[in-house]
């Protein structure tokens, strides 16, 4: 009978009354059950722990680093395509007071990359025009893989030069 | 749980019965708890939750994949790859007659200075359209490894350094290189005139007259060949060049029909994408599946070798050693300038890209060339990430065949040595010997089941239009 039992941690039972032995065996099963419950309950927590941290901030409207401008960034299409050239638009506004009016004298240069992989953008996007509402058109953006990408914009305008970094989770 | 005890062997006593019942009920409690917890994980976790996925996978006997891994793996399957795009710079790209002509030209050794070197000499169909040697050998020996032409229609850049921006611009390059085919465009147009006139003229109109054109004349030949070329009137040079370009466009039309043979990874990924258990013939072994997990995870292979073609079409410095005795090789930083200066590029006079009334290429065309990154230090000794499809049958590896075996390639990426010049993108991975062996097992599963030949995917019909590039 004992040889056909499932292997369990050895607990000395010799010399105990049969009822005490049974109680101990029941206790072992309960302990085992609790252990399983604990492991299963900890799994989701563990998966969350090992999941890569999301990009810090994926907002598309941001003040520039020194607060000189407010910049609104938008992809031409959503979801943002992978491995395909596409267009973005950038709206630059003076930061103080005049929200809604685009700064049509400001120009923008674009850079970026994947901070977690240490590489830059696979292309060199640039401003190719301006829409009637004042938004700048940025062409030549291409993302080669999913993940956390940065688009870094340098703004040059009458109020000075400033920069802003946008995070994208693709 | 316990086998029934024969009554004759041991008669049950009252106490024994009580103990047996209590033991069984305790075991049953444990089993119940386990079952309840598993069920709770399945139900509470909900569809798509990692734990639910894992539990379901465990119950079905499949490896445990996290939701993020399922997404990464299904992205590698060929089911996500559309038909090969038609090249807007090549009007013949989707024409089956051009593909048929290109197939014959591809195998014709008369397209060389010696009459002995065809495209297929290095791009051997029986070897997945490469040659299995470190340095390509045509009329002479070159300085780079032969790349496979399979899937060329999808690539925005061709050659290890991306110095061509279309398959036809790639095809005409080696024909005039001294160490490859070694001939001149005048010679090749003569071959067209003598052996392919009917097929050529049905596609591209009359061949130019070669009266007065020397047998060997071209801008990249010997000094005598270059002099002969320079002596021709510009209009003659242009008409010969145009016919030479059409030869390249026919070869590109043929190459567009060469697609990827499906592998077990593709069948596995398709099953995973459909949310069903892989059937026989779709299954990866335990080691292969563990290697796949590393490929999309810890080993970071999918960073550059992602997507259905297992390449990001990008250029990367991975610290591959320089080969002593070969000329200095700057990789992409020189390749992008060569592409921009190439008269056979998307913006050049021989491109069929859409033009306005003034003859200027439309602003929406040639995006890859217009927005190519150049002059960055990261492009120094950066080389194109090749597709990993059929990689096990393609030793030796890297742009000059520097690394002999797949195992040595994995050791290189694991160690992340310093680049001879420029800065390597790699960092040490800390993979154990067992993990490296599993990765290798997975990479060996990336070949087709039968002969390593490409499959015809485009057939004899037109495909989808090429992207905005």
């Amino acid at each position: 009978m004992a040889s056909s039992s499932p292997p369990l941690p050895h607990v000395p039972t010799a010399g105990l009354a049969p009822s005490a032995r049974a109680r101990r065996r029941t206790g072992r099963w309960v302990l085992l059950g609790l252990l399983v419950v604990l492991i299963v309950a900890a799994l989701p927590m563990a998966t969350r722990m090992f999941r890569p941290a999301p990009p810090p901030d994926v907002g598309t409207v941001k003040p520039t680093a020194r607060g000189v401008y407010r910049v609104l960034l938008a992809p031409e299409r959503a979801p943002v395509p992978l491995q395909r050239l596409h267009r973005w638009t950038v709206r630059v506004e003076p930061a103080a007071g005049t929200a809604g009016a685009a700064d049509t004298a400001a120009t923008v240069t674009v850079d970026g990359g994947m901070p977690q992989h240490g590489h830059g953008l696979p292309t060199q996007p640039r401003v190719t025009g301006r829409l009637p509402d004042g938004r700048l058109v940025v062409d030549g953006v291409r993302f080669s893989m999913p993940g956390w990408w940065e688009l870094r914009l340098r703004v040059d305008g009458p109020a000075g030069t400033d920069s802003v970094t946008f995070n994208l989770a693709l | 749980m316990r086998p029934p005890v024969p009554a004759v062997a041991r008669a049950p006593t009252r106490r024994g019965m009580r103990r047996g019942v209590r033991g069984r009920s305790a075991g049953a409690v444990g089993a119940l708890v386990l079952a309840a917890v598993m069920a709770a994980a399945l139900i509470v976790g909900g569809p798509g939750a990692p734990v639910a996925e894992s539990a379901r996978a465990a119950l079905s006997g499949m490896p445990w994949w996290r939701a993020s891994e399922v997404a990464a793996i299904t992205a590698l399957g060929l089911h996500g790859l559309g038909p090969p795009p038609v090249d807007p710079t090549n009007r013949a790209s989707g024409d089956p007659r051009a593909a048929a002509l290109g197939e014959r030209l591809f195998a014709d050794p008369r397209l060389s200075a010696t009459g002995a070197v065809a495209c297929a000499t290095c791009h051997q169909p029986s070897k997945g359209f490469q040659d299995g040697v470190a340095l390509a050998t045509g009329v002479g020996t070159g300085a780079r490894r032969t790349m496979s032409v399979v899937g060329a229609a999808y690539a925005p850049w061709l050659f290890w350094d991306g110095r061509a921006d279309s398959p036809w611009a790639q095809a005409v390059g080696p024909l005039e290189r001294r160490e490859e085919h070694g001939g001149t465009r005048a010679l090749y147009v003569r071959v067209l005139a003598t052996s392919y006139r009917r097929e050529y003229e049905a596609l591209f109109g009359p061949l130019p007259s070669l009266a007065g054109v020397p047998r060997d004349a071209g801008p990249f030949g010997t000094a005598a060949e270059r002099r002969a070329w320079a002596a021709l009137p510009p209009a003659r040079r242009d008409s010969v060049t145009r016919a030479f370009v059409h030869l390249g466009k026919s070869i590109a039309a043929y190459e567009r029909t060469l697609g990827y043979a499906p592998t077990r990874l593709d069948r596995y990924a398709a099953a995973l994408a459909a949310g069903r258990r892989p059937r026989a013939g779709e299954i990866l072994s335990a080691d292969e599946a563990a290697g796949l997990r590393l490929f999309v995870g810890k080993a970071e292979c999918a960073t550059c070798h992602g997507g259905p073609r297992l390449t990001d079409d990008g250029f990367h410095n991975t610290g591959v050693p320089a080969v002593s005795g070969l000329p200095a090789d700057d990789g992409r930083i020189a390749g992008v300038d060569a592409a921009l200066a190439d008269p056979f590029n998307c913006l050049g006079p021989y491109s069929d890209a859409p033009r306005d009334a003034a003859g200027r290429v439309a602003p929406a065309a040639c995006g890859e060339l217009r927005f190519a990154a150049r002059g960055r230090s990261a492009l120094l000794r950066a080389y194109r990430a090749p597709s990993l499809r059929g990689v096990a049958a393609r030793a030796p590896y890297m742009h000059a065949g520097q690394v002999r075996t797949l195992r040595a390639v994995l050791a290189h990426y694991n160690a992340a040595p310093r680049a001879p010049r420029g800065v390597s993108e790699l960092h040490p991975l800390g993979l154990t010997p067992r993990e490296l062996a599993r990765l290798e097992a997975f990479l060996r599963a990336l070949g087709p089941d039968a002969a390593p030949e490409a499959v015809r995917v485009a057939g004899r019909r037109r495909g989808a239009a090429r992207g905005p590039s």
Side-chain angles (χ1 to χ4, degrees), chain B residues 7 17 38 189 202 211 214 247 305 315 385 409:
Chain B
M17 275 176 77
M38 293 295 278
V189 175
L247 184 158
H305 295 287
F315 298 88
V409 170

Side-chain angles (χ1 to χ4, degrees), chain B residues 35-378:
Chain B
V37 169
M38 293 295 278
L42 279 167
I43 297 158
V44 177
V51 175
E53 292 287 337
S54 303
R56 279 191 208 113
L59 295 173
S60 67
M62 280 171 58
W64 292 21
W65 297 116
R66 295 184 198 100
S68 60
E69 288 174 327
V70 170
I73 294 163
T74 53
L76 304 178
L78 271 186
H79 63 272
L81 186 68
V86 169
D87 178 359
T89 72
N90 176 6
R91 232 174 264 130
S93 170
D95 192 321
R97 296 170 304 161
L101 172 60
E103 183 168 10
R104 290 173 61 200
L105 293 167
F106 191 84
D108 193 336
R110 289 173 299 173
L111 299 178
S112 66
T114 57
V117 177
C119 302
T121 302
C122 291
H123 301 286
Q124 298 170 25
S126 62
K127 291 184 177 171
F129 292 85
Q130 54 89 50
D131 52 8
V133 294
L135 299 176
T137 302
V139 171
T141 300
R144 296 249 178 89
R145 172 87 170 86
T146 300
M147 296 193 97
S148 173
V149 295
V150 174
Y154 295 97
W157 303 101
L158 286 300
F159 292 121
W160 284 102
D161 55 9
R163 65 181 182 277
D165 69 344
S166 72
W168 65 266
Q170 186 280 323
V172 293
L175 288 169
E176 291 193 308
R177 278 176 89 96
R178 300 283 285 279
E179 69 279 14
E180 298 192 52
H181 295 246
T184 61
R185 56 190 71 176
L187 170 71
Y188 301 139
V189 175
R190 208 167 287 277
V191 173
L192 285 176
T194 53
S195 303
Y196 300 99
R197 181 178 290 276
R198 188 174 50 82
E199 297 88 332
Y200 176 96
E201 293 190 340
L203 278 160
F204 304 110
L207 269 162
S209 163
L210 293 170
V213 175
R215 180 183 172 275
D216 296 307
F220 304 112
T222 61
E225 289 165 350
R226 290 201 300 274
R227 270 198 308 275
W229 180 251
L232 289 172
R236 295 303 293 282
R237 292 203 297 259
D238 179 63
S239 62
V240 170
T241 299
R242 210 159 279 279
F244 174 58
V245 161
H246 288 152
L247 184 158
K249 288 180 176 176
S250 301
I251 290 173
Y254 162 60
E255 289 177 351
R256 183 178 162 271
T257 68
L258 306 174
Y260 300 100
T263 67
R264 265 187 302 136
L265 168 69
D266 301 306
R267 294 189 279 272
Y268 190 84
L272 224 56
R276 64 174 174 77
R277 191 177 175 175
R279 304 185 190 106
E282 302 173 340
I283 295 168
L284 296 176
S285 73
D287 272 355
E288 289 164 352
L292 171 56
R293 169 165 287 147
L294 292 162
F295 187 88
V296 297
K298 181 180 175 183
E300 302 176 30
C301 309
T303 303
C304 299
H305 295 287
R309 288 164 48 236
L310 306 182
T311 172
D312 67 348
D313 291 319
F315 298 88
H316 305 277
N317 182 335
T318 56
V320 174
V323 180
S324 65
L326 289 182
D329 191 332
D330 291 344
R332 177 60 175 167
I333 201 162
V336 66
D337 287 345
L340 286 159
D342 188 357
F344 298 149
N345 71 21
C346 183
L347 292 165
Y350 302 100
S351 160
D352 298 328
R355 290 169 194 271
D356 64 16
R360 288 184 300 255
V361 172
C366 308
E368 295 288 353
L369 193 69
R370 290 183 201 268
F371 298 102
R374 58 186 301 201
R376 294 183 192 160
S377 58

Side-chain angles (χ1 to χ4, degrees), chain A residues 14-34:
Chain A
L16 292 176
S19 57
R21 278 206 298 271
R23 267 203 301 280
R24 180 149 291 192
R25 193 174 288 131
T26 310
R28 280 194 312 221
W29 278 111
V30 169
L31 272 175
L32 194 67
L34 280 173

